[in-house]
Amino acid sequence: MQPRCGLEPRALAALAVVLVGAAVFAAAHFWSARPEPVHAPDRVTEAAAVQADGQESPSAQQPGLTPGPAVGPQPGAAPGGQIVVDVSGKVRRPGIQHLPAGSRVADALRAAGGVREGADVSMLNRARVLTDGEQVAVGLPGAPPPGGGSVADAGPGAGPAAPLSLGTATVEQLETLPGVGPVLAQHIIDYRTEHGGYRSVDELRDVDGIGDRRFADLRPLVTP
């Protein structure tokens, strides 16, 4: 090559070094640009394994991750999406009934075997949605007379035909008392559920929304 190109030995050696360097650089560039497999981070791998085992979600186990909203029972329902109600009175199978959340009074009556022949259900709102822990009383003494009228419609100081039992009265029956609306009636039942019933009429004073004046109006109209 030296005689053909007229290069001196020193120039030829420099050219050889440049060519070798270029070849090394090209080889290194090709090697660094080759495709490589990408592995998932350990945290993601562990999270996927946990989900596969049916355990908690990764956000609940791995630090630094924000947990999602917890899934729990609906308000007014027992764990498992059920409610528990007490069906008493003139039904074929009185007692505790476990019903799906969102059930209505009619569903509770069916679960209790239906209403006995001759029982008066005209004052029951069978379309009303039930709440956990409430009692459905059918045809018990002290129920307001049929006809749909309330105490307020009957005139001042009027009350049910017989004293209402605080231990068995329904929301509809309590609403026939003077000054008692749906909210206060539910408070009376909530107190009964929380304390296991009424031992005396005086316990009405502890119900939220009943003051001295209202208690004086209700006292002669109810029994424990």
Side-chain angles (χ1 to χ4, degrees):
M1 188 173 179
Q2 179 180 5
R4 179 176 300 179
C5 298
L7 297 175
E8 296 182 359
R10 182 176 298 177
L12 184 60
L15 179 60
V17 170
V18 171
L19 292 176
V20 171
V24 171
F25 177 78
H29 180 73
F30 175 78
W31 180 260
S32 62
R34 78 187 191 284
E36 295 183 358
V38 178
H39 299 284
D42 294 339
R43 179 174 296 179
V44 176
T45 304
E46 293 174 2
V50 170
Q51 284 186 323
D53 293 339
Q55 299 177 358
E56 296 181 3
S57 64
S59 61
Q61 294 185 352
Q62 302 299 330
L65 298 180
T66 304
V71 178
Q74 297 295 325
Q82 286 191 333
I83 59 173
V84 181
V85 297
D86 180 13
V87 184
S88 60
K90 296 182 179 180
V91 291
R92 292 186 173 86
R93 293 192 301 272
I96 299 297
Q97 302 295 336
H98 297 262
L99 303 171
S103 296
R104 301 177 184 270
V105 172
D107 299 320
L109 297 180
R110 280 193 294 269
V115 178
R116 293 181 183 176
E117 185 176 356
D120 181 18
V121 295
S122 60
M123 297 303 296
L124 279 179
N125 179 6
R126 284 170 283 185
R128 180 173 59 83
V129 178
L130 296 166
T131 59
D132 184 52
E134 91 168 79
Q135 183 183 51
V136 179
V138 181
L140 292 178
S150 65
V151 176
D153 298 331
L164 283 179
S165 171
L166 296 174
T168 59
T170 65
V171 170
E172 291 84 358
Q173 293 169 351
L174 291 170
E175 288 180 23
T176 65
L177 296 171
V180 177
V183 175
L184 183 55
Q186 189 61 52
H187 286 171
I188 294 173
I189 290 181
D190 291 342
Y191 182 93
R192 178 178 70 196
T193 303
E194 182 179 353
H195 295 83
Y198 288 89
R199 290 174 291 277
S200 71
V201 176
D202 291 339
E203 290 187 47
L204 275 179
R205 295 178 180 270
D206 300 327
V207 176
D208 185 22
I210 296 182
D212 293 339
R213 182 174 179 179
R214 182 164 296 171
F215 173 75
D217 294 337
L218 296 177
R219 185 170 187 172
L221 303 177
V222 295
T223 61

